[in-house]
Amino acid sequence: MAIKFFGGGSGIFTGLINSLVHTVMYTYYLLTAFDERWKQSVTFKRTITQMQIVSKNLKTVRYTIPTYTIHLKMKTF
Ligand SMILES: CC(C)(COP(=O)(O)OP(=O)(O)OC[C@H]1O[C@@H](n2cnc3c(N)ncnc32)[C@H](O)[C@@H]1OP(=O)(O)O)[C@@H](O)C(=O)NCCC(=O)NCCSC(=O)CC(=O)O
């Protein structure tokens, strides 16, 4: 509900992208909880970190553009 209606539905982008990153991240935590050897997988950890950075940058671009556009529109009135 919050994702659908917050900000006219613009929260869907965050919801989808976070779900993707969190699914991979919590799968990692689940696996390490069962078997400590998963903690030695630098590839897994690096992938999670890369996904977080890409997701953060995508969200920055996604929300900066409309924020700036609205700011410009408001300045004309
Ligand atoms: C990649 C991880 C999942 C790994 O977690 P672990 O608990 O197993 O490991 P850790 O961080 O204690 O680090 C253990 C060892 O791995 C190394 N290590 C960690 N990340 C690494 C990486 N990307 N590349 C290479 N090495 C890495 C550390 O330096 C350390 O080395 P040494 O042992 O030599 O010291 C974590 O580092 C991480 O990024 N967690 C993210 C948490 C997070 O973002 N939660 C979201 C909250 S906010 C939220 O939910 C809202 C939202 O997202 O919008």
Side-chain angles (χ1 to χ4, degrees):
M1 288 281 281
I3 285 172
K4 185 167 182 184
F5 296 110
F6 175 75
S10 65
I12 286 173
F13 185 78
T14 296
L16 286 176
I17 208 160
N18 274 13
S19 297
L20 180 67
V21 177
H22 284 205
T23 299
V24 177
M25 186 176 76
Y26 285 111
T27 299
Y28 167 81
Y29 286 136
L30 179 70
L31 291 170
T32 58
F34 282 110
D35 189 341
E36 281 273 315
R37 280 176 295 181
W38 281 102
K39 267 187 169 277
Q40 289 156 17
S41 171
V42 175
T43 306
F44 209 157
K45 288 190 263 197
R46 193 182 296 136
T47 303
I48 294 168
T49 304
Q50 287 166 344
M51 288 180 79
Q52 286 168 324
I53 293 167
V54 169
S55 121
K56 191 248 172 232
N57 288 333
L58 286 175
K59 283 185 274 187
T60 300
V61 172
R62 166 67 181 84
Y63 293 109
T64 298
I65 293 169
T67 303
Y68 187 66
T69 309
I70 290 166
H71 172 71
L72 284 180
K73 274 185 190 161
M74 286 172 76
K75 272 177 76 174
T76 59
F77 291 109

